[in-house]
Amino acid sequence: LPTAKITNPDVTRLINSDEIQSVVRPAGQKVQKRPWTQKKNPLVNKAVLFRLNPYAKTLRRQELLKQERLKKKGVKKPKKEASAGKAFLDTLLAP
C-alpha cells in the first residue's frame, strides 16, 4: 500500500512558514473587474465598429473620397420621381 509522505498535513502552517514564503513571489494587486458593462452598438459607435471590423475604416474612407470627387465634378444626384399624380389618386380612391 502507498504510504503518505506527510503524517500530519497542516497545509496552512506549511504555506505560511518562513521557508516557503521566502521562495514564493509576492501576490500582485487585486484587479477589480466591472460586473457588467454597457453593450455598444457598432452601427452607432464607430470606434466599436472599427475594432470589430478594421476594414470598415478603409471602406468608409473610400466612400468619403468618392463623394469628394463627385462633389468637385459637380455631379448631382438624380431626382426621385414624383409620387403618384393627383389624377391617379382620384381614380384609385374613387367610390
Side-chain angles (χ1 to χ4, degrees), residues 50 54-69:
F50 298 151
Y55 188 65
K57 187 180 268 188
T58 306
L59 287 175
R60 188 169 176 79
R61 194 176 302 125
Q62 287 174 352
E63 184 63 31
L64 289 172
L65 290 173
K66 180 181 170 186
Q67 288 176 4
E68 286 290 324
R69 281 195 305 268

Side-chain angles (χ1 to χ4, degrees), residues 9-46:
D10 190 3
V11 179
T12 55
R13 192 187 72 193
L14 283 173
I15 290 175
N16 293 327
S17 68
D18 293 334
E19 294 86 6
I20 302 291
Q21 289 299 314
S22 65
V23 177
V24 175
R25 64 178 174 81
Q29 293 180 349
K30 188 174 181 182
V31 177
Q32 282 289 90
K33 187 172 181 185
R34 292 183 180 174
W36 180 80
T37 56
Q38 177 70 42
K39 165 93 172 63
K40 305 285 187 190
N41 184 353
L43 299 176
V44 174
N45 191 327
K46 298 301 176 216

